[in-house]
Amino acid sequence: MINIRTKAEQALHEFIGEGTDFRPGQYEAIEATLTNKRTLVVQRTGWGKSMVYFVCTKLLRNEGKGITLIISPLLALMKNQIEAAERAGLRCDVLNSTKNSEQKAEIIERMKNGTVDIILTTPETLFTQLVQEALPQINIGLFVVDEAHCISDWGHDFRLEYCRLNKVISTMLAGVPLLATTATANDRVIADLKEQLGGNVYVSRGPLMRDNLSIQILKLNGKTERYAWLCENIPKIPGSGIVYCLTRDDCDEIADFLNKNGISARAYYSGKKTKNSDEIDPNEETERLFMNNQIKVIVATVKLGMGYDKPDIAFVIHYQTPPSIVAYYQQIGRAGRNLDHAYTFLMNGKEDADILEYFRRTAFPSESESKDVYNCILDKGNASSYDIEKRLNIQHGRIENALKFLVNEGFIYKEKSRYYPSATAYCYNREHYEAITKQREAEFAQMMELLDTDMCYSRFVVNALDDKTEKNCGICANCLKHELISSQVSINAIEQAAKFLDGNYMLIEPRVQWANTSFTKRIKIEKPNETGICLSRYGHPIYGELVKKGKYEDNGFGDRLVERSASILTPYITENEIAALTYVPSLRSDIVREFAKKLANKLGIPCLCLLKKTSAQQQKEMENSSFQCENAQRSFSLYEDAAVPERILLVDDMVDSGWTMTVCGDILTRAGAQYVYPFALAATSKKDS
Amino acid sequence: MMNDNASIIVALCSHLCADSCLPLEPSEWTKLADKMIAQELRPKDIPELSDEDMKQYFGYSEEDIDRIKRLLDRSGSLTFELEKLSSMGIRIITRADKGYPKALKAKLKGSCPPLFYFAGDLSLLEQKTVGFVGSRTVGDEDTVFAENMVSKINQHGFGVVSGGAKGIDSISSAASLANGSFCIEYISDSFIRKIKKKEVITEIQDGKLLLMSMAKPDAGFNAGMAMQRNKYIYAQSEVTIVVKSDYNKGGTWGGATEALKKEYCPVLCRDHKKYPGNMGLIKLGAVPIGDSWDGNVDNISELMPDVGEQLSIFDE
């Protein structure tokens, strides 16, 4: 052991200079990794986890062992880390989606011939075919899993690649040193990780409190108030920061709002699409702009998480409450890595509990969804997700979720784009999933307690993570006994927010590809609709609320909606030389037709009756593209004597999947329309989980 | 998680990830294992041994030691391959694991392979089975005979062991499964391809079919490997029935003559005058059976012409 210590200290000196010492716990973690083979490090950001794997790598490489593979959501090592590694003669590189295929091939070659010492890669890249095919020829001396809480079932994340990584780790042959690190784990997650890592695990655990992060809770529940606070106060905080939201829609809307109020912001969430595949990924673009301080704010879902390491994030604001203290600690932990002080603010919307309840409820597929999807694959021997979508009336996202779940549980596996049943017999472990859901409910309840505590906020947070410190941070709003920034918002800011929320409307991006149905294959739509307009988010202030009321209480859309629609549409009608409007017919109610007539009257164009509805299946009961598209294809047709103008506005009350608009647009196009412009009163929400 | 001894066996003997190193063959592993036993070492101790230790204990040359190190060094990449297999439901069992086929250990001793890839319920290995072997190309008459025999042994509570190949192997397996009984297949190639078949998956999931492969799961056909696995069928089963064999050539002949010589188990052979291979095996000591055999394996000694000599097998 003395031998290891001497060598480790020598290595440390090579990294950070003579006369330096290990920080408390670092050497012990190194020794454990090199001898015990299974080590879990739970230490706060800044403790120096990287030094543990640097020193281990140095020692292992000196003994002629293989390279160190770090699996981390981080896209890059910090500059100072790379410099330290290079001083000690370690060659580092990253292998991830930021590299082009030529660079990737070159790095993989170096991994094979051992002319690199440390490779940082993401779980996503690790499981690409390219890397998987190369792995048999790569000699791995040390395996590091960063953000290891993600491989726990009980962690707050549920990402397929981490689930797979979890399996790799449980399969890991003895003799491969394994180091797992995280800054975020409570006792339960640690216990689970110990089991995953296998039997004899050395745990290094230190204090979690970050003494440069001050926490303040803002008791603002209304959307307008929260918007007002954001635009009034963000400019006051020097530097850049993150606003965390629970849904993609909120990200888009807030980013738009901030920009309109002179605060440069960009939205960031998974599934942010590019129009062409050769365009840069908008999220990467956002990361780059933020990193270079070219925008002040990223408005993000949980998607912007562990993988992003900007050292000078000055503030983190939660527009909505995160699901747990673990997630909260992780997210505020983005701030102030390299700053003396950073600010965090936590808001709580009245919608949060509902959204989070929805996330919890849908985190696991239901027993029937899971079984239906599994049986569909087993029956056919193998299936693609499109095959399944065509057979099962289950939402695309729910099918994807069920597939992910079934892969994770080891009941199916994927090859190319097809899923095969594995030899493992299917079962649905309901108790286990319910236990996790229950646990998540309890974690959310704990999160809600934070909102009302009069204890030091930081202490409350780290205590919740089972760091039982009795020390207060001294810098949070509770310790200081005053607000860091006033939660009061000015009338002026409220007006600004209200004006935005009133006037905001959305675009309807047309579908460009058919779904797989009895009528169509997944081919390009020959003449898609034009980009259309949607007045509001369903149920949101102010017009979205009016739409909801009109639909379910008044049985008609009132004058305010007609006027508002006309005022948005007037310039659009003129600009696009739209000659007439028509509407999506319904067998159940006349409210769309009545609204369309009033709107046409206001706009001074004719309202034409062109489409007829032939089937009575409710579109909202159709759960995925194949079923929605097919139902719409069966439902609508053209009146025989209809004369369709070249440029026409197509009006409906609600837009959800967009298939009704797509199919109706296609019918009109076939009957002679050159340009179809969709218009809807409200869009239903898309959620991000 | 794999136990430490099993981990080392896999690292040293698996043919996965073996592009730049040569895994230990079963005989090499056995030699090493014997030397370890002599030193009271266990597989998990190997990584801790110095070069000197290895020279002294195992009589290894520098080259041998380098080979062992390279094999151990692939543990990390090997893990990823094992995970991939495990996602398909293919797992690995080594001589250091409890579930390893006991009959093979008992009968084959040092020549039983260090590890098997498998899919299915290992407890089938504990049940009584009859082996079925025969050529890949068969006529209707052979099929009828095989199916008839399978039904009879099934009625006596025996399952089928076969090689999972075309012809007699798959006919016997299918018959046993169709009768609601079970089947163990010692396959020698194409595991991954086989496990993509719906019928195969369903039978495995129902606990009726166990696939065992010494060859790595993505391996294609290899005559040597096919030959090697014949002995697992004989060793696993109480008795093995030869339905049809070529004379003095081919896998069935080779496997049956080896089994007769090494006395892995009593060999029964279809008494068919027009099949010179069958007649040849009977001449070498295989017990002739015809359509009228009742399938009662426990009374097999009654059929044996030279009772005294054959009994020695059971006396062991």
Side-chain angles (χ1 to χ4, degrees), chain A residues 135 139 174 374 379 415 423, chain B residues 7 73 77 88 196 198 205:
Chain A
L135 272 169
N139 183 353
Y374 180 75
D379 283 351
E415 260 187 34
Chain B
S7 279
D73 277 349
S77 49
M88 302 174 183
K196 286 207 166 70
K198 187 182 152 187
Q205 291 185 347

Side-chain angles (χ1 to χ4, degrees), chain A residues 165-235:
Chain A
L165 192 55
N166 169 357
K167 299 249 158 67
V168 169
I169 284 161
S170 340
T171 319
M172 190 65 73
L173 296 173
V176 191
L178 181 59
L179 171 64
T181 66
T182 176
T184 323
N186 55 19
D187 285 348
R188 190 174 34 72
V189 173
I190 289 174
D192 188 43
L193 287 174
K194 280 173 78 170
E195 206 176 303
Q196 315 269 9
L197 295 170
N200 189 16
V201 181
Y202 173 82
V203 181
S204 160
R205 201 169 176 186
L208 296 178
M209 196 181 281
R210 296 267 311 275
D211 52 15
N212 67 338
L213 287 189
S214 59
I215 301 176
Q216 180 181 338
I217 312 291
L218 294 165
K219 300 252 166 171
L220 299 168
N221 309 128
K223 187 170 177 175
T224 316
E225 297 165 276
R226 281 177 287 156
Y227 271 57
W229 192 94
L230 291 175
C231 83
E232 190 162 53
N233 293 296
I234 288 178

Side-chain angles (χ1 to χ4, degrees), chain A residues 301-318:
Chain A
T301 61
V302 60
K303 163 82 176 163
L304 182 78
M306 302 156 303
Y308 197 71
D309 213 345
K310 176 172 155 66
D312 58 348
I313 293 175
F315 60 91
V316 168
I317 301 168
H318 281 89

